[in-house]
Amino acid sequence: MTAQHPIQFVKGVGPRIAGKLAARGILTVQDALYFFPRGYEDRRSVIPIRALAPGQNVPVRGKVLSVQGGEPGYRGPKVLTVTIADGTGRIVAKWFRFHPSLAERFRVGKTVTLCGAARWFRFLPEMHHPEILSEEDEADPIHFGRIVPVYPEVAGVPAKLLRRIQWEVVHRHADTEQECFPGWILERAGVPPLRESLAAIHFPQDDADAARFRDFSSPQQMRLVFGEIFSLQWAIAVRRAGMERERSTPLPWDREIVEEIKRRLPFRLTEAQRRVVNEILKDLGNPHPMHRLLQGDVGSGKTIVAWIASMVAWRHGVQTAVMAPTEILAEQHHQRFAALSEGLPVRMTLLSAALPPKDREEARKRIRAGDADIAIGTHALLQESVEFRNLALGIIDEQHRFGVLQRAALRNKARSSPHLLVMTATPIPRTLAITLYGDLDVSVIDQMPHGRLPVRTRVVEERERQWVFEEIRGELSRGGRCYIVLPLVEESERTDLRDATRTAERMRETFPETGVGLLHGRMKAEEKESVMRRFKGGALGILVSTTVVEVGVDVPEATIMVIEHADRFGLSQLHQLRGRVGRGTRPSACYLMVREEQGEDARTRLAIMEESTDGFRIAEADLKLRGPGDFAGVRQSGIPDLVFADLVRDAGMLRVAREIVADLYRRDPGLGAPEHDGIRRFLARREAASSRAME
Ligand code: ADP
Ligand code: MG
């Protein structure tokens, strides 16, 4: 029998059970081998009741003192309550789904063994719905006297039967699984071979550390983590190598270009800006395309860096495309680029969906004819109808709105591969950046322009609202502007969320001295633009908005931001939002509104915002609190979901895997050597599985 055999051939699995397992995706023996426990219970020995700790999930054994509830004909509590004592203490077992046959299993004075999570109620330990172990069970090495696996529920298959089936599967078939990695790789990764790992993950050895199995960090589980991370790193290595083979137009810089740019700078670049400019200029001179991610906190000054790169391209007589995620930002970039290049014969074109069709056609024509040196726009630039004459540099602002596919689309617009500069203000923790953008080199602007004032941030409660409103009134009278940010567009009946429309009305009543604008995701692009413009211009002093203001908008006069229901936002998102204020010369403030009933947890989390203005620190904290899944960009990254690996916890493994992959790729990029057959099959299988998952 091989691993590919139907599960029905396993002892104890009849057609009916096979059907239930199939419904859970377990069709073959191999499927069962990879159907892993969701937890473990340490049943190596019975614990004295007195020694129990809350949350501990262990067996206890004692004499039944009393059995209460659900006597025949009695319409009282439907709860079965059984009290047992073992000489060290008493514990109460409760079943909330009473059944006479259940009660019959307990007789006062008899000894029973129960297994479940201990909790406390009125100073007494309790177990709810514990597993009842019979004498037979206790004699059975599958269910007792070991660290016992707890499998995810499979409808129609009792837990004990499932465990027995898995025992059969593991003991008879784990050995048929082929190890795909050669010994030197396993050794460097510090993980045991696959077979040993599979066996232990289902049924850990007697001397195993149960706690490590529970958080999936035992050496055997790390074998699976390694497999996942390895395949991720390998995919990145392949992608990278492909790019290194691409050719691009080299755009070397010389003294003259640099001097000319320097003369036009409206301010001294920060040390960090100078460093990343150097990195970019070096890349641009290569005959291979640049693939660089420029990370820099909100307000760190990425735009000028992008402009410098575009100037180098312009001096070489080739085109640059600058892409922004929204119309507002595209227009803002267009204005800024134009201001920076004033007096130079650089021809700039804005291509935006907001333009009338005639102007759009005109813009496309200029881009095609090469009459536009720098084309600035949104996704519109990626449309098929847009052709460039000699595109050599692509700049993508705010990467997290653009995925890998868009990057590829831009690349296809040029005859030879264009240099690519991707900018993001989402400070992606290093560990995550390696994984998400492993195919990009990373530059970081880790310094703010001089004289920037940190945004004073405070968590405030509803009862302090009046006082916050007075602050706003004061700022308005000094010519400041105010953002009010809300998490949702419309109030739903079920929640008590302040709906943006209602908030705007309320603000109009409260602040008759100024205009109040409303901005939300369901508005048309032109409507948004017009509101934004009036806010920028000062006709509106207050802008009530959903999170559409998050990205890049620059209104230096804005000095106050109030974020309603701040606890509903992730920290990184709050940081992004906060970056909309504090852009001018006057001190700014950000108020994070929470409801009184919000727990300490929310407040502790938000306190990070009060203490820190460092986007990277905040991002790290966010990553620890919420995991990588919530990170902007993770989902669009085109990287298969990681089931076992945790990019924060497994940062060390990530580094090791990268080194192993680098070595292996250097030796055998095609994995053609016979000793790498296994790896090739493993990667193919993963690829097939992930493309199935995408369907
Ligand atoms: P972001 O990195 O968020 O895109 P911007 O490029 O919009 O930041 O820059 C934010 C503000 O800081 C802009 O008004 C810009 O003109 C200004 N700025 C950028 N670099 C410097 C610098 N070195 N010195 C002074 N001001 C700067
Ligand atoms: Mg920007």
Side-chain angles (χ1 to χ4, degrees):
M1 185 142 97
T2 77
Q4 300 306 326
H5 267 83
I7 189 73
Q8 205 180 318
F9 290 125
V10 174
K11 195 175 135 203
V13 183
R16 200 180 60 82
I17 294 296
K20 305 283 183 200
L21 292 170
R24 195 66 160 76
I26 304 168
L27 300 163
T28 64
V29 170
Q30 191 172 50
D31 293 337
L33 265 181
Y34 286 89
F35 184 73
F36 294 122
R38 64 171 166 78
Y40 297 87
E41 285 180 17
D42 190 349
R43 298 188 189 171
R44 282 177 290 196
S45 57
V46 167
I47 298 288
I49 292 173
R50 155 152 289 165
L52 280 177
Q56 211 178 0
N57 203 326
V58 286
V60 293
R61 183 181 296 144
K63 272 208 172 68
V64 176
L65 289 186
S66 67
V67 184
Q68 288 175 329
E71 287 90 352
Y74 175 66
R75 289 195 45 80
K78 287 286 190 197
V79 182
L80 172 66
T81 307
V82 177
T83 308
I84 72 166
D86 70 351
T88 72
R90 269 195 287 170
I91 186 164
V92 178
K94 285 182 178 168
W95 285 264
F96 296 97
R97 275 170 271 136
F98 177 78
H99 198 271
S101 68
L102 183 64
E104 277 163 25
R105 298 182 66 174
F106 299 99
R107 295 257 179 285
V108 173
K110 251 185 77 176
T111 297
V112 294
T113 306
L114 300 176
C115 210
R119 57 174 83 202
W120 261 249
F121 181 67
R122 298 203 178 129
F123 306 108
L124 261 188
E126 289 192 351
M127 283 182 184
H128 294 174
H129 298 264
E131 197 173 327
I132 308 161
L133 298 177
S134 64
E135 265 173 40
E136 261 165 68
D137 288 335
E138 285 189 45
D140 188 334
I142 301 180
H143 305 297
F144 201 76
R146 62 159 46 258
I147 299 173
V148 171
V150 181
Y151 290 94
E153 227 169 289
V154 176
V157 186
K160 277 187 205 165
L161 175 59
L162 183 56
R163 197 178 290 141
R164 186 169 296 284
I165 293 170
Q166 291 296 70
W167 174 272
E168 281 295 321
V169 166
V170 170
H171 281 80
R172 291 183 191 267
H173 310 293
D175 272 0
T176 61
E177 280 299 284
Q178 297 277 342
E179 175 55 68
C180 62
F181 293 112
W184 69 268
I185 289 187
L186 294 178
E187 210 165 287
R188 257 174 83 176
V191 293
L194 185 62
R195 290 170 192 171
E196 182 194 325
S197 298
L198 286 175
I201 289 171
H202 288 283
F203 294 94
Q205 323 86 304
D206 288 344
D207 59 351
D209 182 345
R212 288 190 69 186
F213 270 87
R214 257 182 233 115
D215 48 82
F216 216 91
S217 66
S218 68
Q220 292 85 359
Q221 288 159 316
M222 290 309 283
R223 166 65 185 78
L224 298 186
V225 168
F226 172 71
E228 245 177 29
I229 293 180
F230 175 90
S231 70
L232 186 73
Q233 299 292 344
W234 187 265
I236 289 170
V238 170
R239 215 190 293 173
R240 254 202 109 92
M243 292 189 304
E244 271 156 27
R245 278 193 298 275
E246 290 173 24
R247 317 284 305 168
S248 65
T249 314
L251 308 171
W253 58 277
D254 55 42
R255 282 261 137 248
E256 203 184 324
I257 298 182
V258 170
E259 284 309 318
E260 178 160 0
I261 292 171
K262 264 194 184 157
R263 273 199 302 278
R264 304 197 152 262
L265 294 179
F267 37 67
R268 265 174 64 86
L269 293 184
T270 61
E271 198 55 52
Q273 281 169 321
R274 265 206 296 278
R275 191 183 62 238
V276 305
V277 164
N278 281 334
E279 286 164 352
I280 291 167
L281 293 188
K282 213 165 133 230
D283 283 0
L284 288 178
N286 288 331
H288 305 292
M290 163 171 81
H291 291 276
R292 192 166 280 280
L293 176 70
L294 173 55
Q295 285 192 42
D297 216 339
V298 193
S300 63
K302 295 183 291 294
T303 315
I304 191 111
V305 173
W307 175 77
I308 292 171
S310 74
M311 284 299 103
V312 174
W314 167 65
R315 284 296 304 258
H316 283 276
V318 291
Q319 289 175 297
T320 297
V322 181
M323 294 212 301
T326 66
E327 307 287 345
I328 297 174
L329 282 177
E331 192 175 317
Q332 188 176 287
H333 276 318
H334 183 244
Q335 283 166 3
R336 288 223 204 143
F337 270 55
L340 286 165
S341 325
E342 214 184 299
L344 290 176
V346 188
R347 296 160 303 172
M348 266 176 236
T349 297
L350 178 68
L351 180 63
S352 131
L355 293 173
K358 205 167 65 47
D359 296 0
R360 249 179 298 162
E361 186 44 46
E362 179 59 30
R364 275 197 293 264
K365 216 181 275 166
R366 279 155 47 98
I367 294 170
R368 198 175 317 124
D371 294 339
D373 301 309
I374 302 178
I376 301 175
T378 58
H379 290 81
L381 282 176
L382 292 178
Q383 279 161 3
E384 250 171 72
S385 54
V386 181
E387 287 167 46
F388 287 82
R389 204 174 98 83
N390 55 6
L391 179 65
L393 170 64
I395 298 173
I396 302 180
D397 196 13
E398 307 300 349
Q399 156 78 3
H400 63 277
R401 304 283 171 102
F402 290 103
V404 174
L405 291 178
Q406 281 84 2
R407 272 199 264 150
L410 187 63
R411 217 173 294 156
N412 290 339
K413 296 251 171 244
R415 239 161 286 142
S416 58
S417 298
H419 298 282
L420 216 49
L421 179 65
V422 173
M423 306 196 288
T424 179
T426 313
I428 303 153
R430 185 78 198 141
T431 44
L432 208 50
I434 289 174
T435 320
L436 289 179
Y437 306 114
D439 54 340
L440 299 174
D441 295 308
V442 179
S443 290
V444 182
I445 307 184
D446 51 5
Q447 184 183 22
M448 285 292 176
H450 307 288
R452 193 63 58 83
L453 297 162
V455 178
R456 196 160 37 84
T457 303
R458 272 198 56 187
V459 179
V460 289
E461 292 183 350
E462 197 53 43
R463 60 187 152 79
E464 295 167 283
R465 185 177 287 279
Q466 274 323 310
W467 166 83
V468 171
F469 279 5
E470 286 319 306
E471 290 281 295
I472 294 177
R473 184 155 283 129
E475 277 306 298
L476 288 173
S477 72
R478 288 185 286 271
R481 311 273 147 76
C482 170
Y483 289 108
I484 313 266
V485 183
L486 298 126
L488 267 195
V489 185
E490 263 171 0
E491 189 171 73
S492 89
E493 281 163 11
R494 270 159 281 131
T495 68
D496 60 351
L497 274 185
R498 211 172 305 265
D499 149 65
T501 318
R502 255 187 45 200
T503 306
E505 269 161 30
R506 170 105 65 89
M507 297 306 282
R508 275 182 201 118
E509 284 163 24
T510 315
F511 299 96
E513 70 265 36
T514 186
V516 175
L518 176 60
L519 201 66
H520 61 74
R522 304 217 181 131
M523 285 164 66
K524 289 215 194 68
E526 308 94 85
E527 295 172 319
K528 279 190 218 166
E529 300 259 327
S530 132
V531 170
M532 212 49 228
R533 229 181 309 264
R534 285 192 294 149
F535 183 62
K536 249 183 157 171
L540 303 174
I542 295 175
L543 186 65
V544 176
S545 166
T546 59
T547 47
V548 290
V549 288
E550 188 183 338
V551 168
V553 174
D554 195 24
V555 181
E557 295 82 5
T559 48
I560 290 201
M561 176 172 279
V562 179
I563 302 178
E564 303 281 351
H565 298 285
D567 50 287
R568 301 192 184 216
F569 294 88
L571 295 180
S572 291
Q573 202 182 5
L574 288 174
H575 181 67
Q576 290 287 301
L577 288 166
R578 179 171 63 179
R580 301 301 118 224
V581 292
R583 305 195 136 223
T585 46
R586 299 236 317 284
S588 295
C590 178
Y591 297 108
L592 305 174
M593 279 287 188
V594 293
R595 295 288 180 87
E596 264 95 272
E597 66 266 20
Q598 281 305 326
E600 270 309 298
D601 276 2
R603 216 153 306 209
T604 314
R605 196 168 68 91
L606 293 175
I608 297 171
M609 298 298 298
E610 291 181 330
E611 289 154 22
S612 181
T613 52
D614 176 349
F616 280 89
R617 230 205 96 200
I618 289 167
E620 292 279 1
D622 216 15
L623 187 61
K624 283 208 185 82
L625 288 167
R626 302 194 306 156
D630 279 321
F631 253 82
V634 174
R635 294 220 174 77
Q636 302 109 291
S637 63
I639 280 164
D641 274 349
L642 300 174
V643 180
F644 309 116
D646 172 333
L647 296 177
V648 180
R649 187 196 69 185
D650 300 326
M653 184 58 103
L654 211 58
R655 261 192 306 280
V656 175
R658 248 165 96 79
E659 286 164 18
I660 292 174
V661 162
D663 275 3
L664 184 63
Y665 197 89
R666 212 173 303 123
R667 282 193 229 172
D668 187 8
L671 296 174
E675 68 266 31
H676 298 147
D677 269 359
I679 299 183
R680 217 177 44 234
R681 273 198 308 273
F682 166 69
L683 293 174
R685 213 170 51 220
R686 269 192 69 87
E687 201 169 300
S690 77
S691 61
R692 264 203 310 280
M694 303 276 261
E695 278 160 16

